[in-house]
Amino acid sequence: MHDQYHDRIRHPMLRARITSAAAAAALIDNGMTIGMSGFTRAGDAKAVPLALAERARRDPLQITLMTGASLGGDVDKVLTQAGVLARRLPFQSDPTLRAAINRGEVMFIDQHLSETVELLRSGQIAPVDIAIIEAVAITDSGAIIPTTSVGNSASFALLADKVIVEINLAQPLALEGLHDIFIPQHRPHRAPIPLMTASDRIGTTAIMIPLEKIAAIVITEKTDSSSTVLAADDDTAAIAAHLVAFFEREVALGRLTERLMPLQAGIGTIANAVMSGFIDSPFRHLTMYSEVLQDSTFDLFDAGKLDFASGSSITLSAARGEQVFGDFGRYKDRLVLRPQEVSNHPEVVRRLGIIAINTALEADIYGNVNSTHVGGTHMMNGIGGSGDFARNAYLAVFATKSLAKDGKISSIVPMVSHVDHNEHDVDVIVTEVGLADLRGLAPRERAQAIIENCVAAPFRQMLRDYVAAANRRGGHTPHVLEQALSWHVRYGATGSMLPDTDTEPSPTRQAMSISEGKVRMS
């Protein structure tokens, strides 16, 4: 009956397990923990979760959902609207789910992306009952060949009691051989991960699990959701230019060569634009050791700048995806996709000397970075892998536009409202205004470098005044604590961080007044 799938399901016995998405979803019980493939809109399960949502509308149930990172196809939205999600980890980017998280309706655990399966493997969080994995094919031995991401799929499949496989006919068979599935050994006697270069292969090309674990196979034919990355603009082009100039100086000083070090870039418009900025740079024979391979990865390949790229997923715009997967043989031997606990592993990041380029919601005058919480309280997406890389990188760069909301918000503030990356893990901050190299600087020096190089007017003078008042208070890291978050408070009240000088004294003048006599601190 299902012989037409012999090239996709190569073990004859497994073809008898082909079923509908609804029948597969019926295997999921209330209260279960589900591990689902998907990493930044790539390689995610596309049929069974939607069937589960449809079932939940008739027969309510809730689950804990673990993934690699964010999902596409409105899966998180539909599951949220159907009331399916009780708990979600370790990353998400859906507006509907985000709103439910911030209302306290879905419990969200924001984790470093390298840590989730470590916690699973050691039993520190609830075990996976069922894994739902998208695959391009199942081999004649029952091994699962992933599609456009690996993420946490391999460990979910290995650790789960049962596995549901979605065979996606829209994903090309040319993906076979792309993956490098390596699972670190259990601690405490774990051997080193034997990766010495970004291009090393150390594992298998498929996820090896016992045949009997595959409980159902669902046939799908739906492409990944396209990237939401926007085209570069003047600001992102300026950020890229500042970074290129910085790296040129590093080469001139003998700290780097024209190959730089392996590059990592976070997801999103700014990171993608920064990577594209290397096309017109003097650097060559570049390599990437990253999480998500975006449009810019393939732009660099086409420009002859990039030799090899290692990641955990491939997430592309619609046009770029059609071109890349339509001519995949052109790139395949220069690519590898790994489990995210390997792509993001601190040991490997430190060994390879990664240059990590990630984005910030906001940074403060001392170099602390907030990547996750708007106004210090409302989750945006999650920390993702930025912390995995920043703490262990050769260079940790954080990029952001200096202004947001039509100039009403400064992305550089006196004190960040939430800390994801503290000042000890941040080497460079760059905006379209300029770049601050923070290496070897004490806090007072860092504040001066950031204010003078990265801040847009009129916030620059406001920060100069704040620092002057804080310095009169003294301390290794001077602050006027009662004013440190006043910019955020003002934005919440008025919709702008800029003071209304006609109706209120500026917080800077208030801080100076307090500092000069109303409050004394030794």
Side-chain angles (χ1 to χ4, degrees):
M1 177 179 176
H2 299 299
D3 287 344
Q4 68 267 38
Y5 302 124
H6 69 276
D7 60 334
R8 299 282 186 156
I9 306 170
R10 297 169 193 165
H11 194 294
M13 183 183 74
L14 290 177
R15 292 175 207 149
R17 299 181 193 174
I18 296 175
T19 188
S20 67
L27 298 172
I28 299 171
D29 294 330
N30 183 53
M32 278 187 167
T33 296
I34 305 301
M36 190 181 299
S37 67
F39 194 107
T40 314
R41 304 169 69 85
D44 44 353
K46 299 173 174 66
V48 176
L50 299 183
L52 181 65
E54 183 62 30
R55 171 189 159 198
R57 293 187 186 98
R58 302 186 306 269
D59 181 17
L61 81 162
Q62 289 197 310
I63 63 169
T64 292
L65 177 61
M66 301 180 185
T67 58
S70 58
L71 302 174
D74 287 335
V75 167
D76 271 326
K77 173 183 177 180
V78 173
L79 290 173
T80 301
Q81 291 174 334
V84 172
L85 298 180
R87 190 173 298 270
R88 181 76 168 86
L89 62 155
F91 189 86
Q92 56 75 44
S93 63
D94 180 79
T96 299
L97 174 55
R98 181 186 305 139
I101 290 168
N102 288 319
R103 290 193 300 268
E105 296 169 3
V106 177
M107 296 295 102
F108 178 59
I109 298 92
D110 184 22
Q111 290 178 331
H112 297 297
L113 295 188
S114 68
E115 289 190 339
T116 304
V117 297
E118 293 278 28
L119 295 170
L120 278 173
R121 190 180 291 121
S122 57
Q124 296 181 70
I125 56 178
V128 175
D129 296 298
I130 294 178
I132 309 172
I133 310 298
E134 183 180 83
V136 68
I138 303 174
T139 70
D140 53 11
S141 66
I144 300 169
I145 302 170
T147 58
T148 47
S149 71
V150 179
N152 285 325
S153 297
S155 289
F156 288 161
L158 288 166
L159 296 171
D161 295 330
K162 297 178 181 178
V163 179
I164 298 170
V165 181
E166 289 194 4
I167 297 291
N168 190 338
L169 304 181
Q171 298 279 23
L173 279 169
L175 292 171
E176 185 171 359
L178 175 66
H179 313 92
D180 187 47
I181 310 300
F182 177 88
I183 304 298
Q185 297 170 332
H186 283 251
R187 296 180 287 201
H189 303 296
R190 175 180 295 172
I193 297 174
L195 268 172
M196 301 300 166
T197 71
S199 59
D200 285 349
R201 285 182 167 274
I202 58 175
T204 61
T205 58
I207 303 167
M208 314 290 288
I209 63 170
L211 282 174
E212 58 270 19
K213 289 186 72 168
I214 299 177
I217 298 172
V218 176
I219 306 298
T220 69
E221 195 167 1
K222 185 176 182 181
T223 58
D224 286 338
S225 297
S226 299
S227 166
T228 57
V229 168
L230 302 174
D233 58 20
D234 290 344
D235 286 345
T236 55
I239 291 170
H242 293 315
L243 271 175
V244 167
F246 168 76
F247 289 127
E248 288 178 326
R249 290 193 295 272
E250 292 294 291
V251 172
L253 291 168
R255 294 170 177 158
L256 292 170
T257 70
E258 64 178 8
R259 299 179 65 120
L260 302 181
M261 300 288 268
L263 301 169
Q264 176 264 334
I267 189 72
T269 299
I270 293 177
N272 190 67
V274 166
M275 293 303 296
S276 293
F278 285 105
I279 292 173
D280 295 322
S281 76
F283 311 119
R284 61 186 69 190
H285 297 299
L286 300 173
T287 58
M288 290 186 68
Y289 190 85
S290 194
E291 306 165 297
V292 184
L293 307 182
Q294 301 183 84
D295 285 20
S296 55
T297 302
F298 297 90
D299 295 341
L300 288 166
F301 276 139
D302 290 348
K305 293 287 187 176
L306 185 64
D307 286 354
F308 196 90
S310 168
S312 194
S313 77
I314 300 173
T315 302
L316 303 174
S317 65
R320 202 56 160 123
E322 184 176 354
Q323 181 270 317
V324 167
F325 294 117
D327 189 19
F328 198 60
R330 179 178 172 187
Y331 305 103
K332 184 175 176 179
D333 63 353
R334 293 180 286 169
L335 294 168
V336 65
L337 295 184
R338 311 181 190 278
Q340 68 195 64
E341 67 169 322
V342 176
S343 68
N344 292 37
H345 202 289
E347 171 197 338
V348 181
V349 173
R350 181 66 65 92
R351 178 186 298 131
L352 297 185
I354 304 299
I355 294 174
I357 304 170
N358 289 286
T359 55
L361 285 179
E362 63 179 3
D364 69 24
I365 56 176
Y366 296 115
N368 300 292
V369 169
N370 172 14
S371 297
T372 58
H373 283 71
V374 176
T377 58
H378 281 57
M379 173 58 64
M380 179 60 83
N381 298 328
I383 193 170
S386 55
D388 295 324
F389 287 93
R391 174 153 289 190
N392 301 286
Y394 170 84
L395 271 172
V397 177
F398 283 90
T400 180
K401 293 186 179 184
S402 67
L403 298 171
K405 299 294 184 183
D406 298 321
K408 295 177 182 178
I409 291 178
S410 174
S411 298
I412 310 295
V413 294
M415 179 185 283
V416 288
S417 56
H418 174 89
V419 180
D420 291 296
H421 312 282
N422 64 52
E423 61 185 275
H424 308 291
D425 299 333
V426 180
D427 298 314
V428 172
I429 291 176
V430 58
T431 71
E432 81 284 358
V433 176
L435 181 146
D437 181 358
L438 306 179
R439 294 172 297 175
L441 301 185
R444 293 180 188 229
E445 297 169 318
R446 293 165 74 93
Q448 182 177 357
I450 292 169
I451 293 169
E452 299 307 320
N453 290 287
C454 299
V455 182
F459 294 104
R460 187 182 302 123
Q461 187 58 48
M462 291 169 63
L463 284 174
R464 287 171 179 157
D465 292 345
Y466 177 85
V467 167
N471 286 343
R472 282 190 285 272
R473 288 276 184 95
H476 175 63
T477 307
H479 268 301
V480 181
L481 287 179
E482 63 273 22
Q483 294 296 328
L485 296 176
S486 63
W487 293 21
H488 300 88
V489 174
R490 187 184 310 112
Y491 176 74
T494 70
S496 175
M497 286 184 173
L498 292 166
D500 184 348
T501 55
D502 294 331
T503 60
E504 62 175 294
S506 76
T508 300
R509 291 197 296 273
Q510 292 178 17
M512 293 174 69
S513 175
I514 292 170
S515 176
E516 289 167 355
K518 292 184 179 179
V519 176
R520 296 293 181 184
M521 298 179 68
S522 61

